[in-house]
């Protein structure tokens, strides 16, 4: 709390003269009222008149005005007491207006700066930043979550971790589980307090049980506070929030894939400038889904339901969890028609019986599809629903989640074809040609329907799938920016003509073991930033020319055992920053290309014909170089 008080004081006492408005803004449960109350109690002696109006949104303005005048004038007041301006214009007042949700509350209770005497401070707490801006509040304290030691200290204080007498081994385990609870709360003070109080005096077994319960049933008290902001949204903004929280930022396949890669020895890697939570990327996709996302994202930011940092959209973990619960409820309790754009695969049989407008669904999202559709019959039912979605634009599925990782890892580690026997599955009959995003991790199908002509596609992710080829004949795909096929061990061919995808930025073909060649037309991908060919053990040669790939920054070739030569004109890749040639047969790296590199990965056993001391290459970041060997 000390750091938060110091932050607020820096706003309150920034100006010494005149009256000032200070806003305290943030998501529900972030601690806005606590900060304002603590300041009020500590600093009220510095002011002549004081008043704290708590929970403004739930009270009548008339009674609030009377309370404000009574507090500041130390006398009972009614509407005959005069205006706030007339009574307080000569007094140095400290007034806190807590939990404002409408502009008329500020206009009636706060008014203008000239209502108050010199040195007055009017502090306003709200979840809606736009209200503060609309009322001319210039000093706004955006409250951040309590991370690190502060968050852990708040939880342990409420949970009484230090007060309970335990055996040393039990105490260590209790603290470890406490850290997991703190991580779940993700810095939200309300969650830290509620969960800490609920677990006070509990033992290790009970604490562990509570953590398991939170995975499926979020704490009701916390959820109710968070959902207040969501319930006040316009319908379109509600849909935009659910799409961002559950589709674009939804915790699922990316965390899953990262965990798998780490466990089988491949670290998380950069993918250029394409990201699920990139603001420009999300905005462009939402526009194509007939939303008005520019104002929608701004509204959600103003309501503290998301934030923008470095042009990335961030949603608090507990708000994301709330979004998933809302989506599950909507999927089961509301009529699925034009107004419902997003469907969570939670009960396929229910949708088959109750959905009267399946063809109107525009987005489908499901993590751990194997658990949601555990039998062949339920999976076929799901496919039946999917083929009826003629307007589907966004599809994000994976067949496994982190909970099933232990059973999946042996398959990945052997990198073999010993996948579950899916030979009795029918071919996928239909996929919407309206798709903008196609993400189906662990897809069991080897081929797409012949009718699949997704000319609007922006992103494809079929990692760890049984796919043999991306598709057969396909028209021009001018909007496609990213193709990820990592771990598709049956894949034998990719694009026969890369000029069909002129705007491709990311191509991830890591561990496509049967991929033996890359079409020479790849040289025309002038916007390609990231190319991953690691573990492509059948790849003997690169295309003869890469000259046109002027934007390429990252090139992974590690594990291509039979690859002996780099393309001669690789020296023209002036943007290249990272090159990985570990575990290859490459023996020659042109000096010219090294001048632009920041990271170089190779083996100690490598013998290069052209090499100089690393001091010759000023651009290299030697601290990040792997196994540098000077010859």
């Amino acid at each position: 709390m000390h750091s938060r008080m110091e932050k607020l004081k820096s706003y309150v006492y920034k100006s010494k003269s005149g009256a000032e408005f200070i806003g305290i803004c943030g998501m529900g449960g972030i601690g806005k009222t606590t900060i304002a109350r603590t300041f009020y109690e500590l600093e009220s002696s510095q002011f002549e008149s004081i008043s704290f109006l708590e929970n403004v949104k739930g009270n009548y303005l008339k009674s609030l005005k009377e309370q404000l005048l009574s507090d500041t004038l130390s006398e009972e007041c009614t509407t005959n007491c005069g205006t706030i301006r007339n009574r307080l214009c000569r007094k140095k007042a400290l007034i806190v207006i807590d939990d404002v949700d409408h502009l008329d509350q500020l206009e009636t209770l706060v008014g203008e700066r000239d209502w108050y005497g010199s040195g007055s401070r009017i502090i306003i707490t709200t979840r809606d930043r736009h209200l503060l801006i609309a009322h001319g509040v210039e000093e706004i304290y955006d409250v951040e979550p309590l991370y690190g030691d502060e968050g852990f200290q708040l939880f342990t204080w409420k949970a009484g971790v230090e007060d309970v007498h335990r055996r040393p081994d039990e105490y260590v385990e209790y603290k470890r589980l406490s850290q997991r609870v703190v991580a779940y709360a993700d810095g939200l003070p309300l969650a830290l307090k509620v969960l800490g109080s609920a677990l006070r005096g509990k033992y290790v077994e009970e604490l562990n049980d509570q953590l398991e319960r939170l995975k499926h049933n979020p704490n009701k008290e916390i959820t109710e506070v968070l959902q207040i902001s969501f319930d006040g949204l316009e319908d379109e903004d509600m849909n935009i929030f659910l799409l961002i929280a559950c589709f674009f930022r939804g915790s699922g396949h990316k965390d899953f894939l990262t965990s798998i890669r780490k466990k089988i020895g491949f670290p998380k890697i950069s993918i250029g400038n394409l990201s699920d939570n990139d603001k420009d990327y999300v905005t462009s996709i939402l526009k194509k889904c007939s939303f008005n996302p520019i104002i929608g994202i701004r509204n959600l930011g103003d309501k503290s339901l998301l934030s923008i940092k470095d042009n990335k959209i961030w949603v608090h973990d507990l708000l994301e969890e709330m979004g998933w619960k809302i989506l599950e409820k909507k999927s089961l309790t509301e009529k699925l028609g034009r107004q419902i754009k997003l469907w969570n695969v939670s009960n396929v049989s229910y949708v088959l019986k109750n959905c009267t407008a399946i063809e109107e669904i525009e987005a489908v999202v499901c993590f751990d599809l194997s658990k949601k559709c555990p039998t062949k019959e339920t999976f076929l039912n799901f496919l039946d629903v999917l083929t009826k979605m003629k307007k589907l634009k966004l599809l994000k599925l994976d067949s496994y989640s982190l909970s099933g990782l232990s059973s999946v890892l042996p398959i990945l580690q052997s990198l073999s074809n010993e996948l579950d026997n899916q030979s009795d599955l029918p071919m996928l009959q239909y996929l919407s040609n309206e798709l903008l995003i196609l993400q189906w991790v662990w897809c069991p199908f080897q081929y797409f329907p012949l009718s699949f002509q997704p000319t609007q596609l922006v992103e494809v992710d079929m990692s760890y799938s049984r796919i043999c080829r991306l598709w057969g004949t396909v028209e021009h795909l001018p909007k496609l920016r990213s193709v990820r096929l990592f771990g598709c061990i049956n894949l034998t061919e990719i694009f026969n003509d890369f000029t069909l995808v002129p705007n491709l930025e990311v191509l991830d073909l890591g561990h496509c073991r049967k991929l033996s060649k890359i079409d020479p037309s790849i040289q025309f991908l002038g916007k390609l930033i990231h190319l991953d060919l690691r573990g492509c053990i059948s790849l003997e040669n690169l295309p003869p020319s890469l000259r046109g790939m002027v934007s390429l920054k990252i090139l992974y070739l590690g594990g291509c055992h039979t690859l002996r030569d780099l393309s001669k004109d690789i020296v023209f890749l002036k943007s290249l920053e990272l090159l990985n040639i570990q575990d290859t047969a490459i023996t020659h790296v042109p000096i010219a290309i090294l001048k632009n590199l920041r990271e170089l990965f190779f083996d100690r056993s490598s013998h290069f014909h052209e090499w100089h001391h690393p001091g010759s290459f000023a651009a290299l970041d030697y601290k990040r170089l792997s196994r540098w060997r000077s010859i």
Side-chain angles (χ1 to χ4, degrees):
M1 181 56 72
H2 175 73
S3 62
R4 292 183 161 202
M5 279 299 95
E6 292 304 308
K7 184 73 170 179
L8 179 57
K9 286 180 181 179
S10 70
Y11 286 101
V12 171
Y13 296 125
K14 187 175 182 179
S15 173
K16 296 297 183 181
S17 61
E20 290 293 338
F21 295 156
I22 298 94
I24 302 178
C25 188
M27 63 183 287
I30 200 70
K32 301 181 296 296
T33 300
T34 301
I35 295 169
R37 172 66 73 179
T38 303
F39 179 86
Y40 181 81
E41 292 174 351
L42 292 175
E43 300 292 318
S44 58
S45 61
Q46 306 298 316
F47 298 85
E48 297 176 66
S49 300
I50 59 174
S51 180
F52 193 109
L53 299 184
E54 195 165 10
N55 195 24
V56 166
K57 71 173 184 291
N59 291 283
Y60 292 108
L61 288 177
K62 179 181 177 181
S63 60
L64 288 169
K65 178 182 175 182
E66 292 174 355
Q67 179 188 337
L68 173 60
L69 287 170
S70 295
D71 290 345
T72 52
L73 300 176
S74 300
E75 61 184 66
E76 183 177 351
C77 286
T78 65
T79 53
N80 296 324
C81 286
T83 65
I84 295 174
R85 177 178 184 176
N86 290 340
R87 303 300 299 269
L88 297 179
C89 63
R90 292 183 178 84
K91 291 183 177 292
K92 181 183 177 182
L94 172 62
I95 299 172
V96 177
I97 311 293
D98 177 53
D99 206 6
V100 173
D101 65 347
H102 284 97
L103 188 59
D104 60 345
Q105 295 161 350
L106 294 180
E107 292 172 345
T108 301
L109 298 174
V110 172
E112 305 297 332
R113 290 176 177 80
D114 60 5
W115 285 21
Y116 309 95
S118 179
S120 293
R121 296 293 182 266
I122 295 82
I123 298 175
I124 305 157
T125 77
T126 181
R127 302 183 188 204
D128 191 342
R129 201 173 196 275
H130 183 69
L131 290 180
L132 300 173
I133 296 172
H135 197 69
V137 180
E138 297 177 356
E139 302 294 338
I140 302 176
Y141 173 19
D142 292 298
V143 184
E144 297 287 339
L146 276 179
Y147 292 124
D149 291 340
E150 285 188 308
F152 188 74
Q153 289 169 6
L154 176 59
F155 172 79
T156 54
W157 173 56
K158 285 294 182 179
V161 173
E162 309 293 343
D163 299 338
V164 182
H165 298 290
R166 307 179 188 280
R167 300 188 311 273
D169 59 329
E170 188 180 37
Y171 179 74
V172 171
E173 178 64 8
Y174 192 89
K175 289 201 72 172
R176 185 186 72 81
L177 291 173
S178 295
Q179 289 170 339
R180 287 180 58 195
V181 177
V182 172
Y184 168 82
D186 195 27
L188 188 68
L190 172 66
L192 294 167
K193 291 178 182 178
V194 170
L195 296 176
S197 298
L199 296 171
R200 192 178 187 91
K202 302 292 177 62
Y203 291 93
V204 169
E205 295 80 5
E206 295 168 311
L207 184 55
N208 192 57
D209 204 44
Q210 180 65 50
L211 277 167
E212 291 301 312
R213 175 181 290 186
L214 287 172
K215 290 181 181 178
H216 309 287
N217 299 291
N219 181 276
K220 187 175 181 180
E221 182 178 349
I222 298 170
T223 302
E224 287 177 349
V225 172
L226 295 177
Q227 194 164 336
I228 292 172
S229 296
F230 177 83
D231 291 340
L233 295 173
E234 299 290 337
D235 288 347
E236 181 167 331
D237 291 341
M238 284 184 174
N239 278 318
I240 290 176
F241 172 78
L242 291 177
L243 277 167
I244 290 174
C246 302
F247 194 94
F248 291 104
R249 192 193 177 276
S251 58
H253 86 288
K254 281 199 172 181
D255 293 336
F256 168 68
L257 295 182
T258 298
S259 299
I260 288 178
R261 292 186 185 208
K262 286 181 179 178
K263 288 180 181 293
I264 62 175
F266 299 108
K268 185 176 181 181
I269 57 177
S270 167
I271 56 169
N273 62 357
L274 186 63
S275 172
D276 268 1
N277 65 340
D278 181 86
K279 180 186 174 185
D280 296 335
Y281 171 66
V282 172
T283 298
S284 66
I285 296 296
L286 290 176
K287 280 184 177 180
K288 294 170 184 175
C289 293
S290 302
F291 286 109
N292 299 109
I294 296 177
I295 187 62
I297 291 173
R298 173 62 186 267
N299 290 341
L300 294 174
D302 287 341
K303 298 287 186 181
S304 303
L305 287 166
L306 58 78
S307 58
I308 309 294
K309 299 176 182 178
D310 299 325
N311 207 45
K312 305 291 184 184
I313 296 176
W314 298 99
V315 180
H316 190 277
D317 286 351
L318 293 181
L319 286 172
E320 180 187 325
E321 183 179 67
M322 177 196 76
W324 276 101
K325 290 300 176 182
I326 292 171
L327 179 56
E328 289 177 2
K329 185 177 180 181
K330 287 168 73 72
S331 295
L332 294 177
T333 61
E334 295 189 16
K335 181 179 179 181
L336 296 177
R338 290 182 180 275
Q339 74 282 10
I340 303 299
K341 295 183 179 293
L342 181 64
W343 175 48
N344 179 35
V345 183
S346 55
N347 190 323
V348 175
S349 60
Y350 177 90
V351 174
L352 283 171
K353 294 176 182 178
N354 297 278
C355 182
T356 59
I358 293 177
E359 68 278 1
E360 298 296 337
I361 294 174
E362 297 185 6
V364 171
V365 58
C366 178
F367 300 121
D368 200 358
L369 184 60
S370 58
K371 183 180 291 185
K372 301 288 177 63
C373 301
T375 66
K376 179 180 177 181
E377 180 182 3
T378 56
F379 185 71
L380 292 178
N381 285 339
F382 163 70
L383 292 181
D384 184 45
V385 174
L386 192 63
T387 57
K388 295 177 181 178
M389 297 179 182
K390 307 302 182 183
K391 297 183 180 180
L392 189 65
K393 295 181 179 179
L394 309 174
L395 178 64
K396 178 180 280 192
L397 306 171
D398 69 43
S399 299
Y400 292 91
S401 68
L402 289 173
S403 62
L405 186 57
S406 59
S407 63
V408 176
L409 272 177
I411 300 172
L412 297 176
Q413 289 170 329
S414 64
L415 293 173
S416 72
N417 280 316
E418 297 174 4
L419 298 170
D420 296 335
N421 183 14
Q422 303 287 353
S423 59
D424 56 344
L425 280 177
M427 287 188 62
L428 186 62
Q429 297 299 314
Y430 176 82
L431 264 181
S432 170
N433 287 329
E434 299 294 316
L435 277 171
L436 303 171
I437 296 177
L438 170 58
Q439 295 180 355
W440 193 340
V441 179
W442 291 95
C443 177
F445 299 105
Q446 294 184 341
Y447 301 100
F448 286 113
L450 293 176
S451 62
F452 189 45
Q453 294 288 325
T455 57
Q456 302 301 309
L457 264 179
V458 176
E459 179 178 348
V460 175
D461 187 347
M462 303 290 290
S463 299
Y464 302 104
S465 298
R466 299 188 72 217
I467 198 79
C468 292
R469 67 170 181 264
L470 199 53
W471 38 63
T473 58
V474 67
E475 297 179 11
H476 192 48
L477 299 172
K479 300 176 183 179
L480 190 60
R481 294 173 60 193
S482 172
V483 174
R484 300 175 191 147
L485 300 170
F486 190 96
C488 292
I489 57 179
N490 291 327
L491 189 76
T492 57
E493 59 182 278
I494 187 66
F495 297 101
N496 291 326
D497 185 358
F498 281 97
T499 61
L500 297 175
V501 288
N503 294 306
L504 197 65
E505 297 176 13
V506 176
L507 182 58
D508 186 348
L509 302 173
H511 280 273
C512 294
R513 302 176 74 228
K514 294 184 179 180
L515 188 67
S516 60
K517 64 178 183 178
I518 304 294
D519 191 84
S521 62
I522 195 172
Q523 68 167 307
F524 299 114
L525 294 184
K527 296 183 180 180
L528 192 68
I529 297 171
H530 178 106
L531 177 58
D532 190 344
L533 297 171
R534 73 179 76 191
C536 294
I537 59 176
S538 300
L539 188 65
E540 296 184 359
N541 298 292
L542 292 176
S545 176
L546 302 176
R547 181 177 297 211
M549 299 165 64
V550 294
S551 300
L552 192 67
K553 292 183 178 180
I554 298 169
L555 177 59
Y556 279 93
L557 301 173
C560 296
H561 307 313
T562 58
L563 189 63
R564 294 185 174 276
D565 298 303
L566 291 171
S567 172
K568 291 183 179 180
D569 59 6
I570 196 172
V571 295
F572 293 102
L573 304 184
K574 301 300 183 181
S575 299
L576 194 65
E577 297 179 357
L578 184 153
L579 176 63
N580 185 323
I581 53 173
Q582 288 177 301
D583 199 18
T584 68
I586 294 173
T587 60
H588 176 85
V589 177
I591 291 297
I593 195 173
L594 298 176
K595 295 180 180 180
N596 297 318
L597 288 181
R598 294 183 180 276
E599 298 180 74
L600 174 65
F601 299 85
F602 66 98
D603 295 316
R604 291 185 184 277
S605 59
S606 299
H607 298 284
F608 296 100
H609 300 320
E610 281 191 35
W611 204 258
H612 288 285
H613 189 274
S616 304
F617 312 115
L620 284 168
D621 184 351
Y622 303 117
K623 293 181 180 179
R624 300 174 65 185
L625 286 178
S626 173
R627 299 181 180 179
W628 176 274
R629 182 173 182 264
S630 177
I631 297 179

